[in-house]
Amino acid sequence: MSIDNEIGKTYFGRGNAGMYDDYMDFINYVFGFNGNSSDFKKLLPKLYRPEDDPAANSYVALEDGKLKAAIGAFDLDVSVAGEVLHTRGIGNVAVHPYARSRGYMRRLMNDAIDDMVRDGIDFSVLGGRRQRYNYFSYDKAGEGISLSFGMDNMRHTFGYPRTHRIKVRRIGADDTAALDDIARLYETLPFHGIRNRSRLYDILTSWNYSVWYGTDDSGCVGYALAKDESVSELVLADEERVPEFTVALFDAVGRGRLVVTLPAFLPGYAERLCRICEEYTISPKKSFSVLNYERVVGAFARLKAKTCRATLPDGELTLLIHGRGGDENITLTVNNGVPEAARTDKTPYAEYDHLEAMNLLFAPLCPQRDSLPDFARLWLPLPIYLFSADAV
């Protein structure tokens, strides 16, 4: 959009570098940050430095040149079973308190999504209240497996006092060798965001997480991102050592409790930790909107086939989806355990609106899946995901 897109004295469109200071003051004010101990630059250093030009990555509403609303829209490519998909995350959805109920959020959100469709974005991610963002095609999806560990779990499993072969320490921005190891290790995952190595520490410490690095006599063992008792990312060179690393991390962090969140595409991690933890939950962690079902369904079906414990049963299912990015009649086929998705003119087995399709294909809980053929129920849900460090 250009500056020509004015309605009266109100401008709707992209921001620009010249409004950086006003933009930062505005979003910090709306979110109640004081600018000292808390602000967007501290919370998300990967996005809000002047050189990152966050205003240009935002949609804004101006009245007489003054900011009244802003919505950040930030790109990230992800590798899904070897295929690169394009994502755009929505963040800092902000409307001035005195400008609410004027439709600014609705206008900017719809403009942002229209541009995603035009730009070939495959799926979008945001955090926020479910029904608020249902209006804009987002719904809770993706499986996050959260396992909680307390002192008794660790004492009965590993004894006390403990010595560790794995040494876990918190690292800083100047630990370049450790960060190089972390970058290499993360990229071995079958799903990962394509992270800029020069900004890796800023990415890892997003949302006030700290970086914990584990070694033994042979070198790097793994790493974790932790904030208080929450662990949002846990990656090991050898998944057999996940329990050993987790107890070493538990003792190093020293909170007396850890809650580790894992994606569904790391079943070996969950298998090794579920017998140790006190309790676990499986729930969606983010809100997603798929704008290209053909590419996203195909990629995440291949990710599931690559990482799940059982071979996916063969079959063919055609669905007509009235998506936010347009109608798609797609056939998902599994042949000899290998999935493929393609647009087709075949008669659909069923048709769904956008939110119905999001739940059917990607939500941990969807009673509507009971109406599908037996083989298709074993394919779903597909493991759409985004690590917290990559969220905006």
Side-chain angles (χ1 to χ4, degrees):
M1 299 180 204
S2 71
I3 198 71
D4 296 330
N5 184 25
E6 294 193 29
I7 300 176
K9 295 182 178 181
T10 303
Y11 165 74
F12 298 93
R14 289 280 191 168
N16 59 66
M19 63 174 62
Y20 176 79
D21 290 337
D22 289 342
Y23 171 85
M24 295 303 296
D25 286 346
F26 173 73
I27 61 175
N28 283 327
Y29 164 71
V30 172
F31 278 85
F33 294 153
N34 61 28
N36 294 315
S37 61
S38 60
D39 66 13
F40 271 97
K41 193 157 62 172
K42 293 182 178 66
L43 184 66
L44 289 168
K46 63 181 182 176
L47 297 177
Y48 290 99
R49 302 181 312 174
E51 54 266 43
D52 297 321
D53 201 1
N57 286 303
S58 294
Y59 295 81
V60 300
L62 306 177
E63 290 181 1
D64 297 321
K66 295 182 179 179
L67 276 161
K68 297 299 179 182
I71 291 173
F74 302 92
D75 287 354
L76 173 75
D77 286 346
V78 295
S79 176
V80 187
E83 180 176 359
V84 174
L85 298 183
H86 309 300
T87 81
R88 186 169 292 167
I90 294 292
N92 68 254
V93 178
V95 180
H96 195 285
Y98 297 155
R100 290 174 184 163
S101 302
R102 297 181 189 175
Y104 288 170
M105 174 189 171
R106 183 177 296 275
R107 166 67 186 268
L108 296 181
M109 283 294 299
N110 283 321
D111 286 350
I113 297 166
D114 287 344
D115 283 357
M116 290 183 208
V117 174
R118 180 203 66 195
D119 295 342
I121 298 300
D122 294 306
F123 69 91
S124 180
V125 192
L126 56 76
R129 288 172 289 174
R130 184 181 190 185
Q131 276 72 29
R132 184 185 195 195
Y133 291 102
N134 278 171
Y135 292 113
F136 307 106
S137 78
Y138 295 83
D139 209 350
K140 302 289 186 181
E143 288 184 311
I145 306 165
S146 294
L147 307 100
S148 66
F149 304 86
M151 297 288 287
D152 283 349
N153 305 121
M154 297 308 191
R155 178 170 58 86
H156 287 292
T157 305
F158 299 102
Y160 191 84
R162 292 183 284 271
T163 58
H164 301 294
R165 291 185 302 163
I166 298 174
K167 306 301 181 186
V168 175
R169 61 184 175 87
R170 183 173 176 174
I171 66 169
D174 57 346
D175 286 299
T176 55
L179 290 168
D180 286 342
D181 288 338
I182 287 170
R184 286 191 292 267
L185 197 53
Y186 176 71
E187 290 174 1
T188 66
L189 294 177
F191 169 93
H192 59 270
I194 298 174
R195 295 172 173 173
N196 182 340
R197 173 63 185 87
S198 68
R199 302 297 303 280
L200 182 60
Y201 188 75
D202 288 343
I203 294 167
L204 298 177
T205 54
S206 296
W207 307 107
N208 297 319
Y209 278 85
S210 54
V211 188
W212 297 81
Y213 174 68
T215 59
D216 65 7
D217 292 341
S218 65
C220 173
V221 173
Y223 76 93
L225 305 183
K227 177 173 62 177
D228 298 328
E229 62 188 30
S230 173
V231 176
S232 65
E233 191 167 312
L234 176 70
V235 184
L236 276 291
D238 178 1
E239 69 176 28
E240 294 282 351
R241 303 190 72 180
V242 167
E244 182 186 2
F245 180 91
T246 302
V247 66
L249 176 68
F250 182 95
D251 289 342
V253 172
R255 306 286 300 191
R257 184 171 184 264
L258 278 185
V259 179
V260 177
T261 297
L262 301 171
F265 55 79
L266 295 178
Y269 287 45
E271 178 183 329
R272 288 168 173 80
L273 292 180
C274 70
R275 294 298 303 167
I276 302 170
C277 70
E278 182 64 28
E279 58 188 12
Y280 59 87
T281 61
I282 299 175
S283 62
K285 296 299 181 185
K286 302 263 186 269
S287 290
F288 294 84
S289 179
V290 170
L291 302 173
N292 187 324
Y293 280 93
E294 178 188 17
R295 279 173 53 80
V296 174
V297 168
F300 281 101
R302 289 187 287 276
L303 177 63
K304 184 158 190 173
K306 182 177 181 178
T307 59
C308 70
R309 292 304 201 191
T311 301
L312 297 184
D314 287 357
E316 180 179 290
L317 181 69
T318 299
L319 303 175
L320 173 57
I321 300 170
H322 302 291
R324 177 63 176 79
D327 287 355
E328 294 185 61
N329 195 50
I330 63 170
T331 296
L332 178 59
T333 304
V334 177
N335 186 21
N336 293 323
V338 179
E340 292 294 338
R343 300 195 189 201
T344 180
D345 58 3
K346 294 179 180 179
T347 301
Y349 177 86
E351 64 180 289
Y352 301 97
D353 67 26
H354 179 81
L355 292 180
E356 289 173 333
M358 288 297 304
N359 278 273
L360 183 89
L361 295 167
F362 304 107
L365 174 65
C366 180
Q368 202 169 5
R369 280 200 288 265
D370 291 342
S371 64
L372 295 178
D374 290 346
F375 63 83
R377 292 204 301 272
L378 294 173
W379 297 346
L380 304 174
L382 300 177
I384 197 169
Y385 201 77
L386 194 76
F387 286 102
S388 292
D390 296 316
V392 302

